[in-house]
Amino acid sequence: MATIYEVSELAGVSLATVSRVMNDSGKVTAKTRKKVKAAMRELGYRPNSIARSLASSRTDSVGVLVPMFYGPFYGEILSGIETELRDAGKHVIITAGHSDKASEEAGIEFLLSRNCDALILHVDAVDDDYLKKLCRESVPIVVIGRHVAGFEDHCINLDNELGGYLATKSVLVLGHKKLAYISGPLWKHDAHDRLQGHKRALMEHGLEFNAQLLYEGNFREASGSRGLEELLRIGQPFSAVICANDEMAAGALGVARERGLEIPEDLSVIGFDNVFFTRYFRPKLSTIDYQISGMGQMAARAVLKIVYGDKDLEVQNMFQPTVVMRSSVTCKTGP
Amino acid sequence: MATIYEVSELAGVSLATVSRVMNDSGKVTAKTRKKVKAAMRELGYRPNSIARSLASSRTDSVGVLVPMFYGPFYGEILSGIETELRDAGKHVIITAGHSDKASEEAGIEFLLSRNCDALILHVDAVDDDYLKKLCRESVPIVVIGRHVAGFEDHCINLDNELGGYLATKSVLVLGHKKLAYISGPLWKHDAHDRLQGHKRALMEHGLEFNAQLLYEGNFREASGSRGLEELLRIGQPFSAVICANDEMAAGALGVARERGLEIPEDLSVIGFDNVFFTRYFRPKLSTIDYQISGMGQMAARAVLKIVYGDKDLEVQNMFQPTVVMRSSVTCKTGP
DNA sequence: AGCTAGAATGTAAACGCTTACATTTTTATT
DNA sequence: AATAAAAATGTAAGCGTTTACATTCTAGCT
């Protein structure tokens, strides 16, 4: 592989000039530039990014940590991140954190050891102070799907509270009075906020939140099934169930079918996330929609802005969810 | 950030010794090793992987190119790759190729410029010679989901021909005689091979392949819909349709429902891939299953073996598909 | 004690770039 | 044409490691 030295020899200029041509930095005459470029082409020169990084202490790479790769979610996030960063000539190093503290920290350590210029993190288990300290002492970070107080411009977030509110509200306006709620693990920020929104909507309609009609799941399908079973078991009546994500809604739908409950006649169901495979549900699931890959893209932009000095890039830190009404929800009729 | 030099000073040894401790190379007394490790800990030393790469011309990173991140497929592949490589202390740099020649080549170039030690590629558009040349002249590669002649130990592949054969066979043995086939784009290797398998099964049962009952889709849901519409339109009778993947099967199922065709009574449908969301289809889709993430894992192992000299690692180059019979297929009754 | 083989450690030259600073060339001004 | 200022180019010192080779220990012999 040709080095910058060979290029400089062939072009009859110094190393520095070649470097300047490569980086579009400093002044170079058009004539010299042409000579150098010709030499590069002739030698099939490809700059060694490792040497470049060592000398400049920038790696042009961004580390990304997501809980996992599979499922409907993180693929989209990653897609948004990669597209945006690649267009800017940055590399993406990706690793998984498994929503587990030790694993998340190990992942971050792993990325740091690779000298990433910045980190984009979707982490659940590590705490806010750890993140702030990390950003202060090691490397700039951008956090997706989480609010870290006093750190707002480094956070790309969905208004989960609003989402929970809208989901609930859209059921309440149809006359439902008794609502059950299947939440995600409440130590997770998004799960917690969605439930808060639910409570706010209830309050607004003069209804009391009934803790017996809350089931705390784990965002996975099976916990949605267990949730509805449990809620039915305790015998408190309800005409609609709000699920904090679509996968749990899928579980609930499955149990409803087994029990012979007609959806939406006997029970209205609403999900959250609008993941792509909800199109296969029957009846079609009403849910809360937002731009998943858009959030990834924004995280990438935030990095471009904060770290690589792309000052006039627009970054949207907060995303607004909207309601998608399909056929799993209907008016409350009868008593 | 502390450097190796500061560690060596604090420990009262030379740079070389610190390096030896870090890499477990060469001989170091237990006592010295202890001193060095203590110094590392005290300084919170973290080796600079960039400098290390420059000096050793190994980056301990593997470039991965997949067509895209979203969808049910590549997330699993990536998951398999990342887990295996991370355990081996290697980094993963990921980029997307969009099944487009220019984009795939750009992606590969991109990874090469990052000095990856090896590449794992899931590419459709570039040709075999390009891949062989790449491996010969630039960097070792492992190819997923594709057969490159004379290059078998660098390929991790599914026996697509067998899959197509099994899918078809499993319908034929139930008495179906008129089969339609919705294929992927036939320039893609997997699509082509699956169709070959289909033909072999037909032949084995003494049936002639009828080109009018073939529709060439693009592996996406909408083309499955169009495919079944088209097949119905031409008026040739058939009692079962084999789809070259589950997404197209989903499209076909949708059209069948619209047309009031009962599945499987009026039409048997079988898919391919067994992606996770087929569980939501009604009726449940019969399909062809294989280890998606296992293929990613094997690709990673192949790299470990070929590039990093992990000699006694077992690599399975060919994966065997199996039939999963669910309720979208039934016996052929009547004429 | 003196010698030696082998083990442990040290020395210093890469690796391929960037960049502050020094030098030379060009252009503008008088 | 002489001079100053600005522009272009060159020089050389890093960046933090690895590693071939050189040197210094250590222990086992005689």
Side-chain angles (χ1 to χ4, degrees), chain A residues 13-14 16-17 20 27-29 32 55:
Chain A
V13 299
S14 74
T17 301
R20 279 189 275 260
K27 303 286 175 186
V28 185
T29 348
T32 321

Side-chain angles (χ1 to χ4, degrees), chain B residues 245-257:
Chain B
N245 80 348
D246 291 340
E247 270 144 301
M248 295 194 298
L253 249 28
V255 167
R257 176 191 310 265

Side-chain angles (χ1 to χ4, degrees), chain A residues 69-70 94-96 98, chain B residues 76-90 92 293 296-297 300 304:
Chain A
F69 295 140
Y70 42 85
I94 303 183
T95 192
H98 311 290
Chain B
E76 294 223 26
I77 297 258
L78 292 176
S79 203
I81 295 175
E82 201 261 353
T83 307
E84 190 79 10
L85 287 182
R86 221 242 243 191
D87 286 351
K90 310 300 175 195
V92 182
S293 85
Q297 186 188 32
L304 256 19

Side-chain angles (χ1 to χ4, degrees), chain A residues 184-199:
Chain A
L186 290 171
W187 60 272
K188 289 198 184 185
H189 305 74
D190 44 4
H192 175 264
D193 293 351
R194 289 173 191 186
L195 179 57
Q196 286 303 314
H198 170 68
K199 290 181 180 171

Side-chain angles (χ1 to χ4, degrees), chain B residues 13-14 16-17 20 27-29 32 54-55:
Chain B
V13 300
S14 73
T17 301
R20 279 188 276 259
K27 305 283 177 190
V28 185
T29 350
T32 318
L54 184 60

Side-chain angles (χ1 to χ4, degrees), chain B residues 268-324:
Chain B
S268 286
V269 178
I270 184 166
F272 201 117
D273 284 347
N274 197 22
V275 299
F276 75 95
F277 59 77
T278 52
R279 48 144 54 89
Y280 303 120
F281 295 2
R282 291 295 175 271
K284 290 187 175 156
L285 186 70
S286 297
T287 189
I288 299 296
D289 178 70
Y290 57 95
Q291 290 302 314
I292 303 180
S293 85
M295 290 179 66
Q297 186 188 32
M298 279 308 153
R301 279 205 197 167
V303 165
L304 256 19
K305 181 167 188 167
I306 296 168
V307 181
Y308 297 111
D310 207 335
K311 281 302 167 208
D312 39 39
L313 216 47
E314 280 293 325
V315 175
Q316 177 187 352
N317 289 287
M318 188 60 92
F319 280 69
Q320 304 300 323
T322 57
V323 178
V324 182

